[in-house]
Amino acid sequence: RLPFFRRVFERFFPVVWIAVALLLITGFGMIFYGFGGFATAPEYVNILMGLGIVMMLAFGHLYFGAWRRFRHAVAGGDFLGGAVALNQIRMIVVFNTYLGLIVVAVAATGRYWG
């Protein structure tokens, strides 16, 4: 099972990096060209940007930490170490999923805030 996950992640993570780059570019573009900067952007937009940055940092931790450990463990035949790293990846993904749900809620309701 672990070699299968390694192959899946090797294909999936480049797509995530592209998405992260596009989200940063379009997010900052919206802030500076759409709202004139962070000071004039609505509160919910600043919250969305903050949550997005936290999600990107969590992915960076996943990629450069847990994924690196997972990849090396599986390549070296250390399946116990690979399972531990895979569990860390799972926990970070769950964390980012919850943050993503909060982002959706803020994005959907933010413009109606006081």
Side-chain angles (χ1 to χ4, degrees), residues 26-37 40-42:
T26 57
F28 279 108
M30 183 181 78
I31 293 286
F32 291 110
Y33 295 112
F35 294 109
T40 56

Side-chain angles (χ1 to χ4, degrees), residues 36-58:
F38 284 102
T40 56
E43 179 182 9
Y44 78 94
V45 173
N46 289 316
I47 292 170
L48 290 172
M49 182 60 80
L51 290 171
I53 289 172
V54 170
M55 291 177 74
M56 290 173 202
L57 289 172

